[in-house]
Amino acid sequence: MKGFLASAVSGLALAGFVSGQACQTTTLTSSVPTNSSTKLALASYSYCGGTLNATAYIANVDYNKVVSLYYTNAQGQSTPLSVVNLGYSSGIGNGSWELWSTSTPIYIDGITKLLNLTYQATDVGKTYVQTLNLPVNATGGPAPTLPSPPAPYATPKGFGSDITSWLSVNIGSESETAFQRMFLNINPAIPGAAEGVVVAARSGPSYIQTNPDYEYNWVRDASLTMDVVQSLYSAATKAKAKTAYQNILFEYAAARATEQNDPGLQTGLGEPKFYLNNTIFTGPWGRPQNDGPATSAITLMEFATSYLANGGSIDTVKQKIYDSATFPASAPVMKDLLFVASNWSSPSFDLWEEEESDHFYTRMVQRRALVLGAAFATKMGDSATSATLSTAATALSATLAQFWDPNREILLYEYGPVLNGKSSYLDTAVVLGVIHGYAGDGVYSYTNDQVLLTALRLATSFIDVYAIANTTTDSAGLTLGIPIGRYPEDVYNGTGTQTNGGNPWYLCTAALAQLFYSVSTEYADAGSISLTNISKPFFDYFAPAAGLQVGQTYTYGSRKYNQAIGGLNGWGDAFLRTVKHYTPADGYLSEEYNRNTGVPQGAGDLTWSYASVLTAAFARAEVRGQKGYVRGLADLGVVGNTVA
Ligand SMILES: *[C@@H]1O[C@H](CO)[C@@H](O)[C@H](O)[C@H]1NC(C)=O
Ligand SMILES: *[C@@H]1O[C@H](CO)[C@@H](O)[C@H](O)[C@H]1NC(C)=O
Ligand SMILES: *[C@@H]1O[C@H](CO)[C@@H](O)[C@H](O)[C@H]1NC(C)=O
Ligand SMILES: *[C@@H]1O[C@H](CO)[C@@H](O)[C@H](O)[C@H]1NC(C)=O
Ligand SMILES: *[C@@H]1O[C@H](CO)[C@@H](O)[C@H](O)[C@H]1NC(C)=O
Ligand SMILES: *[C@@H]1O[C@H](CO)[C@@H](O)[C@H](O)[C@H]1NC(C)=O
Ligand SMILES: *[C@@H]1O[C@H](CO)[C@@H](O)[C@H](O)[C@H]1NC(C)=O
Ligand SMILES: *[C@@H]1O[C@H](CO)[C@@H](O)[C@H](O)[C@H]1NC(C)=O
Ligand SMILES: *[C@@H]1O[C@H](CO)[C@@H](O)[C@H](O)[C@H]1NC(C)=O
Ligand SMILES: *[C@@H]1O[C@H](CO)[C@@H](O)[C@H](O)[C@H]1NC(C)=O
């Protein structure tokens, strides 16, 4: 490595750069261990310019291996973040040994000492450890520092009439299209599909999708879709439409109970995925995903609450929704809630089905399920379950503070080591966690300053990643919001993985819009905006004209308040305008739009894409005080699930 040549530069220029020198690699061994009881050995490491590199020899004792290098951070502490996982790099000789390695930017946490190398051979249930206790010196150029958010490229203000008409209740609008297309995927007209299931996606006139194959009923996707049906049910005033939604929701409850009782569950109620006949998918997969039982219970409790308010009987709710102890074949909610209460602290796979860890998204939806569940169980006369859920909610809530990282100035999407190269720790899952998981009790609400700063850092992270972010206006000259994907390091392109292959997703871009509308509503309800040093950068970017200051409170209706809210509403619409801009003329939504061309990509007719546009539209209507909006859409009624 050439690196930074200290000797060639004057001492003056280098003042303060104690680490200004060439990269130094420390080599511990250059051959595989010969001692037959040794199964691992750190070969070499360096910490140069803020990046930790390491290579290790790993004995090939089984197929599934987890190799972790533990260290202490700049403060000399060992935390769940001060670990890097090594990845397979090559086989050695006859394959009895392998070389594993990592190159991970860890400068934000810093490093003082390598503690140990741990190798879990998970198939054979063995763990091997090499104790290290090696002090680490930084070499190379100075480590980068946390970048400040950029200056805004636009200052959109207020709602756009283009978005208002795009989301109107009229036939042929995007809202109406999303509504109809979503219902085609609920109880889909596919031979063998069970009642109450939701197909995750389809493409073209046939439901058959092979690339990618999304012809399954995912627990999470189904619950989020049914949550939209639940909103339509609550708002509908036309009897025929209301009854249709009610029937679908009861079928969904029964389908969830069927899933819970499937004899083939491998990881309990966290099983993520079922065939359309609603029997378990048993192939290799990222399981468990413990958000599903929570989001399903939330949707069904909300439905039951509306159903009761609408004159429904409490006995029907117990029999078909809540009381799994007495009606295990038909009522899923109590069982899902008790599963959440006993399993929330176990790591599980995230909503993108990629990483097993402790996830902010999963904790947030679990928390909401427990908080709503405790109140709902009381309503069902079940004080024992209520107490169990309350206790779990309190314990879970106490863990949420760990997700705030003062060094990165974000809410981490997961509390654990860098996985899959996601060293930014940014993920739209955090925004979705607030949207799907806010329990309405002030804990990590939309306007929480940590949530706002995370949304800013997340959104701006995509500007340098997607070429289409450089298209900042549509043909009418109106501002396009930043295209939003899952996370900046994403390599999934909708069918496979590719270097720089990750794309913006419709549902992620719509999620930012929805967050902004909900932020606006929450400030209106509170009657004022107050800034902290954490939330200030958010307002500086999204509402610079207001010039809001830390420590000040801006009252509802004041000039600066209106300027700030105008900025937030303008950006909410700008994000939806990006969705609109990259939506094809027929209004159908795939999973993704290409990062370079904006052309739709990945699964066609993704049900969750439709649900996300509808929930964003509902949040927009709420902040605009359009009380009849959801009702107008709901009263259109389900045309039917014939294949178009
Ligand atoms: C081989 O490794 C084992 C376990 O690490 C150790 O106990 C033993 O002393 C080593 N043998 C030799 C000859 O170094
Ligand atoms: C593979 O090579 C190692 C030496 O690296 C040797 O100990 C081992 O016996 C070899 N295994 C086979 C199956 O040949
Ligand atoms: C660390 O690894 C990266 C990626 O393999 C490589 O580009 C870089 O040169 C390495 N740094 C050192 C100091 O070896
Ligand atoms: C490795 O270090 C980590 C962090 O200190 C510690 O939690 C873990 O127990 C260590 N592993 C072993 C096997 O000693
Ligand atoms: C790290 O720096 C200290 C103090 O400058 C020095 O004594 C030590 O040898 C260095 N360690 C390595 C591994 O270079
Ligand atoms: C459900 O569908 C899957 C996939 O088509 C099939 O393999 C399975 O046999 C079906 N199960 C039942 C009970 O029909
Ligand atoms: C859920 O909790 C139960 C009871 O504590 C336990 O038996 C089960 O293994 C847990 N399941 C998962 C997936 O963590
Ligand atoms: C956007 O344009 C700027 C200036 O031309 C360029 O530096 C940047 O790399 C572009 N971004 C992408 C993602 O292509
Ligand atoms: C996505 O990646 C897969 C696998 O690398 C590749 O075969 C496919 O062509 C890529 N898709 C697109 C649209 O680039
Ligand atoms: C905010 O202020 C607190 C207390 O003064 C300080 O510890 C923290 O680092 C500041 N955070 C940011 C993001 O500026």
Side-chain angles (χ1 to χ4, degrees):
M1 278 301 300
K2 286 222 187 69
F4 198 91
L5 292 175
S7 56
V9 196
S10 84
L12 267 182
L14 273 178
F17 288 172
V18 282
S19 58
Q21 54 185 290
C23 286
Q24 276 172 24
T25 298
T26 305
T27 300
L28 301 170
T29 172
S30 344
S31 55
V32 300
T34 48
N35 180 339
S36 63
S37 57
T38 303
K39 302 298 179 198
L40 78 173
L42 187 65
S44 66
Y45 65 92
S46 66
Y47 180 55
C48 179
T51 294
L52 176 65
N53 281 17
T55 53
Y57 295 110
I58 299 298
N60 189 13
V61 305
D62 77 350
Y63 183 75
N64 286 297
K65 307 175 176 75
V66 180
V67 180
S68 313
L69 181 59
Y70 288 86
Y71 60 90
T72 48
N73 63 19
Q75 289 77 42
Q77 294 162 343
S78 163
T79 78
L81 302 189
S82 56
V83 196
V84 294
N85 281 2
L86 278 62
Y88 171 86
S89 138
S90 60
I92 298 173
N94 63 15
S96 63
W97 283 86
E98 296 171 350
L99 205 57
W100 283 55
S101 65
T102 187
S103 174
T104 306
I106 61 161
Y107 59 88
I108 292 176
D109 295 311
I111 181 167
T112 43
K113 199 193 252 189
L114 294 178
L115 293 174
N116 65 58
L117 183 68
T118 301
Y119 164 24
Q120 291 166 265
T122 48
D123 301 333
V124 298
K126 289 239 166 79
T127 297
Y128 308 101
V129 185
Q130 180 186 16
T131 301
L132 299 166
N133 289 323
L134 296 166
V136 175
N137 294 344
T139 62
T145 52
L146 183 69
S148 296
Y153 63 81
T155 52
K157 291 181 190 75
F159 296 108
S161 56
D162 58 326
I163 302 303
T164 301
S165 78
W166 193 60
L167 297 178
S168 73
V169 174
N170 303 328
I171 303 299
S173 75
E174 183 60 23
S175 292
E176 193 263 343
T177 302
F179 171 91
Q180 299 297 355
R181 301 302 290 177
M182 186 184 79
F183 275 102
L184 287 178
N185 291 358
I186 296 172
N187 285 337
I190 302 178
E195 272 186 353
V197 302
V198 176
V199 64
R202 69 192 191 100
S203 61
S206 156
Y207 275 98
I208 306 303
Q209 290 209 60
T210 53
N211 191 25
D213 181 5
Y214 281 26
E215 205 184 295
Y216 296 94
N217 175 42
W218 264 273
V219 174
R220 168 184 41 261
D221 295 42
S223 66
L224 299 175
T225 305
M226 288 295 176
D227 199 46
V228 178
V229 179
Q230 178 278 123
S231 295
L232 296 168
Y233 167 78
S234 293
T237 51
K238 288 197 175 156
K240 191 170 164 226
K242 203 172 183 87
T243 304
Y245 302 134
Q246 180 177 306
N247 291 342
I248 288 171
L249 288 158
F250 277 125
E251 285 166 8
Y252 166 62
R256 178 65 192 143
T258 301
E259 291 165 6
Q260 292 178 335
N261 293 307
D262 194 296
L265 304 183
Q266 297 170 34
T267 53
L269 304 184
E271 281 294 323
K273 177 173 167 178
F274 292 78
Y275 293 112
L276 293 182
N277 59 19
N278 215 20
T279 63
I280 185 72
F281 168 82
T282 54
W285 209 252
R287 58 167 68 87
Q289 294 175 21
N290 290 345
D291 56 330
T295 52
S296 178
I298 290 167
T299 292
L300 286 171
M301 287 188 287
E302 288 184 320
F303 165 54
T305 302
S306 294
Y307 175 77
L308 291 172
N310 197 43
S313 101
I314 204 155
D315 285 343
T316 303
V317 169
K318 286 183 183 170
Q319 204 171 323
K320 295 188 168 182
I321 294 182
Y322 177 71
D323 188 356
S324 323
T326 316
F327 307 101
S330 61
V333 166
M334 180 202 285
K335 197 167 174 178
D336 273 336
L337 290 173
L338 289 172
F339 174 86
V340 172
S342 59
N343 292 286
W344 65 266
S345 65
S346 306
S348 77
F349 278 82
D350 63 321
L351 78 173
W352 311 132
E353 317 193 283
E354 294 178 333
E355 297 180 355
E356 189 162 28
S357 188
D358 290 335
H359 297 283
F360 182 80
Y361 177 88
T362 307
R363 288 277 163 94
M364 283 294 284
V365 295
Q366 289 175 331
R367 180 178 184 280
R368 182 171 175 212
L370 293 170
V371 169
L372 298 188
F376 191 76
T378 300
K379 211 183 316 179
M380 294 293 110
D382 183 357
S383 56
T385 299
S386 177
T388 302
L389 303 179
S390 280
T391 303
T394 303
L396 184 159
S397 300
T399 69
L400 289 176
Q402 76 196 12
F403 291 94
W404 172 250
D405 185 333
N407 297 330
R408 292 176 177 80
E409 299 181 353
I410 54 167
L411 286 163
L412 305 167
Y413 77 92
E414 56 112 3
Y415 190 54
V418 171
L419 299 169
N420 291 344
K422 291 173 71 173
S423 57
S424 72
Y425 280 92
L426 291 165
D427 193 314
T428 304
V430 171
V431 170
L432 290 165
V434 174
I435 289 177
H436 298 159
Y438 176 46
D441 57 359
V443 178
Y444 292 94
S445 73
Y446 311 106
T447 64
N448 175 290
D449 58 357
Q450 298 176 357
V451 170
L452 297 179
L453 184 54
T454 305
L456 168 65
R457 288 197 176 275
L458 170 78
T460 53
S461 77
F462 294 108
I463 293 176
D464 295 330
V465 170
Y466 301 141
I468 56 168
N470 273 344
T471 303
T472 57
T473 53
D474 67 8
S475 56
L478 299 169
T479 297
L480 293 174
I482 304 161
I484 307 292
R486 302 190 300 177
Y487 47 89
E489 300 89 349
D490 200 359
V491 292
Y492 177 62
N493 70 7
T495 53
T497 60
Q498 225 179 350
T499 307
N500 296 329
N503 295 306
W505 285 36
Y506 293 102
L507 76 90
C508 293
T509 313
L512 262 287
Q514 183 172 338
L515 176 74
F516 275 58
Y517 301 138
S518 296
V519 167
S520 216
T521 297
E522 193 175 318
Y523 281 130
D525 291 347
S528 65
I529 299 173
S530 296
L531 261 67
T532 67
N533 65 342
I534 307 288
S535 59
K536 185 165 192 302
F538 173 87
F539 287 96
D540 287 347
Y541 191 94
F542 293 113
L548 303 192
Q549 297 304 321
V550 174
Q552 303 288 310
T553 294
Y554 302 93
T555 311
Y556 181 88
S558 66
R559 191 173 59 90
K560 282 179 179 286
Y561 177 97
N562 290 342
Q563 283 174 319
I565 294 297
L568 302 189
N569 295 340
W571 274 100
D573 272 14
F575 286 115
L576 276 190
R577 192 172 292 115
T578 296
V579 173
K580 172 177 182 278
H581 191 68
Y582 297 111
T583 296
D586 59 16
Y588 298 1
L589 296 174
S590 301
E591 181 178 77
E592 317 177 0
Y593 48 104
N594 185 275
R595 57 157 61 196
N596 300 313
T597 62
V599 171
Q601 193 160 326
D605 268 314
L606 190 85
T607 316
W608 189 357
S609 292
Y610 293 128
S612 74
V613 166
L614 292 172
T615 54
F618 297 171
R620 186 176 189 269
E622 187 181 6
V623 71
R624 285 163 59 82
Q626 295 176 319
K627 296 205 191 313
Y629 180 81
V630 186
R631 183 185 68 228
L633 209 54
D635 283 345
L636 291 176
V638 187
V639 167
N641 41 21
T642 47
V643 180

